[in-house]
Amino acid sequence: MRFTSRPKMNYMPGTASLIEDIDKKHLVLLRDGRTLIGFLRSIDQFANLVLQQTVERIHVGKRYGDIPRGIFIVRGENVVLLGEICVCIPVKDLEKESDTSLQQVCIEDILEEQRLQQQSRQEAEKTKHLALKERGLVMPRPDIMDEYGVQHQY
């Protein structure tokens, strides 16, 4: 019987593969829905990240605003997506996509738009719960449920 050697892997396992991405600009999508953009400065075996020159980007429709956050430490379990941002796209290619591009607005405007969007979502959710209640269906509110799905009244 003849044994052959395993083929060599050209990549590092786990978070070690991100060592090559240190000092590059990244977009990080968090579990709570926030989007961070910053330079990856450090990473550990638990995928904890240190971002520098970080901004929190808030999207509402086709508009966005960036809130400067500085140095940001992210616990690895909260990372949903991590991707490098390529800053080498020619301007002429960006102009071709002008109908799909986003418009940057000031922080105050985007925060107000976000507040109004959240308020309308809450009103729609309340209307949905009332309609279900009228039909005899009661949905538990997520804000009064524990991690096991047990409803508590506070």
Side-chain angles (χ1 to χ4, degrees), residues 5-118:
S5 64
R6 294 171 122 183
K8 286 189 174 184
M9 290 191 267
N10 292 334
Y11 65 92
M12 293 181 277
T15 58
S17 62
L18 292 171
I19 296 294
E20 299 168 351
D21 289 341
I22 298 279
D23 296 333
K24 294 181 182 172
K25 196 170 193 176
H26 283 74
L27 178 137
V28 181
L29 180 62
L30 300 179
R31 209 166 58 175
D32 65 0
R34 289 186 290 170
T35 302
L36 303 174
I37 298 173
F39 289 93
L40 182 64
R41 296 299 185 207
S42 181
I43 188 160
D44 66 7
Q45 71 270 25
F46 304 109
N48 297 322
L49 310 173
V50 176
L51 299 170
Q52 187 179 24
Q53 297 177 4
T54 308
V55 294
E56 180 180 347
R57 181 159 287 179
I58 298 175
H59 296 92
V60 178
K62 288 194 172 213
R63 298 168 61 140
Y64 74 93
D66 289 339
I67 302 172
R69 297 292 187 195
I71 293 178
F72 213 91
I73 299 173
V74 181
R75 189 176 170 114
E77 67 182 19
N78 293 317
V79 176
V80 174
L81 178 116
L82 173 70
E84 183 182 349
I85 296 177
C86 181
V87 291
C88 57
I89 300 172
V91 176
K92 61 183 177 184
D93 290 342
L94 289 174
E95 290 171 355
K96 291 178 187 175
E97 300 178 14
S98 62
D99 59 333
T100 60
S101 63
L102 300 173
Q103 176 190 6
Q104 185 172 8
V105 296
C106 70
I107 297 169
E108 293 80 17
D109 290 347
I110 200 68
L111 288 174
E112 179 62 20
E113 287 183 36
Q114 182 185 42
R115 186 187 67 76
L116 293 172
Q117 183 184 50
Q118 288 172 345

